[in-house]
Amino acid sequence: MKKIGLLILSISFIFLLAACLVNNTRYEAKASDFETPGFENKNNHGILVYGDDLMIIKHEPKGKTNSIVGQFDIIRYKNVKIKTKKDTYHITADDGVSLKFKKIRNRTIVDEHGVEYYWGAKAGGIVE
């Protein structure tokens, strides 16, 4: 009886160990995700990679409290590099730019501060 109990315990332990080793990445990060149309958050700030340029788009220019609809600032950084590992993006560019994002849904990423960005959709639009 002890042998059967030990066998069942051993098998259970093996299944538990195997479950811990399984890759838990549900969504795979790809550098091409940042190409057109890019990502936009609920504050209408966007991020886009076009060629070697990283563009951060802010739809409310600095220093202007009442921005006109359609006005925006584009901050452009050269020599962008995107490295991916499982569900994580690490973006670097000139001027010491370093950004990290995690892919949490098919068309949604989140930055290090918990701000969500939606691929190809306005804030509140289709995100999945």
Side-chain angles (χ1 to χ4, degrees), residues 3 9 20 31 36 39 51-52 60 70 74 78 92 101 106 109-110:
K3 288 184 179 181
L9 183 63
C20 292
T36 303
F39 289 90
D52 278 348
E60 203 171 300
I74 297 177
K78 297 283 187 187
T92 57
F101 296 93
N106 278 337
I109 61 174
V110 63

Side-chain angles (χ1 to χ4, degrees), residues 3-68:
K3 288 184 179 181
I4 293 175
L6 186 58
L7 178 65
I8 291 173
L9 183 63
S10 297
I11 291 172
S12 298
F13 179 73
I14 290 170
F15 282 123
L16 178 64
L17 183 60
C20 292
L21 296 176
V22 172
N23 182 357
N24 290 329
T25 303
R26 187 166 172 192
Y27 300 102
E28 183 182 355
K30 294 176 275 184
S32 61
D33 292 343
F34 279 88
E35 296 172 359
T36 303
F39 289 90
E40 187 173 349
N41 68 22
K42 290 183 179 182
N43 295 322
N44 293 321
H45 295 169
I47 184 166
L48 167 70
V49 172
Y50 186 77
D52 278 348
D53 292 349
L54 169 66
M55 292 183 272
I56 309 283
I57 303 157
K58 296 184 178 185
H59 289 274
E60 203 171 300
K62 287 182 180 178
K64 296 185 179 180
T65 54
N66 295 323
S67 64
I68 298 171

Side-chain angles (χ1 to χ4, degrees), residues 106-124:
N106 278 337
R107 296 182 177 203
T108 307
I109 61 174
V110 63
D111 69 14
E112 296 172 293
H113 306 287
V115 177
E116 290 186 3
Y117 291 78
Y118 310 102
W119 180 86
K122 294 286 185 191

